[in-house]
Amino acid sequence: MTGPATGVIWAALPVPTFLLARNGPNGSEMILDCNPAAEQFLSTSLKSIKGQPAFDKLMIDAPMEDALARTRANQAAIFVNDVYVGTGDRPPQICNLQLAPLGDDRDVVLMLIAPREIAGRLGRAEAVKSAAKSAIGMADMLAHEIKNPLAGIAGAAQLLSMNLSNSDRELTDLIVEETRRIVKLLEQVEQFGNQRPPDCRPVNIHDVLERARRSAIVGFAAHMTVREAYDPSLPLVWADPDQLLQVFLNLLKNAAEAQPNGGRILIKTFFEHSLRVKSRSGTGHALPLHVEIKDDGPGLPPSIASDVFDPFISGRENGTGLGLALVSKIIAEHDGWVAVDSMPGRTVFRISLPLAPNPRKAALKETS
Ligand SMILES: Nc1ncnc2c1ncn2[C@@H]1O[C@H](COP(=O)(O)OP(=O)(O)OP(=O)(O)O)[C@@H](O)[C@H]1O
Ligand SMILES: [Mg+2]
């Protein structure tokens, strides 16, 4: 049996991949070839960049000359992790680079650019799911053990307050107020634990996004400018609309809370078929439909950036840290992916979802 042709493998590589040769003026690196993922990454076609200087198109914040020279000299692969790669028309993204010599031709180097967003999320799905599970157990325990005595404490404080002077009553009011706050927190925790499995059906993602957007702009995001960039030709997704609404509300709320004095939020949808993941049943499946919620706020606090999807991780004074844990849990149960890419001035949460079986494009077009 023969394997797939190299051209097919080249086209299927989901990360931007280039062939570089040192045959430009003064030995500069030129692009010999690139795969479709690289064309997408640079928002251009192979035709327009073939034979062009590589580092005119790719701004890489690392000593690339040195790395390429070592790859050629040692004829061995080199990994360069966590470097910023800019493409001219989009802000730099943190990526992991892999350089490898190309067989017989000692001058040609293969360069793979894996945006860290993709690199990062592949490893963490299972960890997120198990963290969410342990939070559910804790939620049940906490809610049952603490809510009842709290009700007793609040009731006793209210009784006491009847016979107290005004200045002392301030103290009992404080007890009542604070116990209420804890009860509210516990209710949120309980809600997190009680989430039912998704009731999936074909859903027009834009209907759900519009519901989330409308409720955001009249409520918690009233101080923000919210714009949308929808691709109206998108097919239907396979999802539970109420749970997706919760996901988008949580993301919009975080974006709005990151900028209490106002800022911009962009809700974008698009189709891109390069992302395939293993589902819970172990089979690979495509997640071609993407929703991005982007804001121009300060970005994730660096101290919690790698753990924001874990329960009880919050960078806000009164945050419970359950918003993103719930997002992660719901999306995992939809066999989807959630990823974040954040730096000061630009934070993007991306949700990737599977299509409904037999996508009914026509039906969607009629309703959108
Ligand atoms: N768009 C964003 N910009 C900046 N920081 C963010 C953004 N989204 C989330 N964060 C950070 O991640 C933390 C965790 O978010 P998450 O939604 O899980 O919890 P929370 O907002 O603190 O509390 P809750 O959503 O439960 O009320 C936030 O506290 C905030 O510090
Ligand atoms: Mg939140």
Side-chain angles (χ1 to χ4, degrees), residues 238-312:
W238 188 241
D240 179 325
D242 294 333
Q243 292 195 0
L244 275 194
L245 180 69
Q246 183 73 58
V247 164
F248 298 135
L249 284 174
N250 286 5
L251 295 178
L252 290 170
K253 194 153 181 272
N254 282 347
E257 282 167 350
Q259 296 197 82
N261 299 322
R264 286 178 301 173
I265 297 176
L266 176 69
I267 310 172
K268 181 176 163 186
T269 59
F270 59 100
F271 194 87
E272 194 213 283
H273 49 74
S274 63
L275 180 64
R276 289 188 71 82
V277 296
K278 244 188 188 167
S279 65
R280 282 169 294 170
S281 60
T283 53
H285 69 284
L287 299 176
L289 203 142
H290 309 275
V291 178
E292 285 186 353
I293 310 252
K294 174 171 157 186
D295 69 73
D296 59 353
L300 297 175
S303 56
I304 59 164
S306 55
D307 305 318
V308 280
F309 290 108
D310 290 347
F312 308 115

Side-chain angles (χ1 to χ4, degrees), residues 298-334:
L300 297 175
S303 56
I304 59 164
S306 55
D307 305 318
V308 280
F309 290 108
D310 290 347
F312 308 115
I313 298 290
S314 176
R316 294 189 300 112
E317 205 171 316
N318 287 320
T320 57
L322 285 175
L324 289 176
L326 189 59
V327 166
S328 157
K329 180 167 175 268
I330 292 176
I331 296 302
E333 284 178 352
H334 278 77

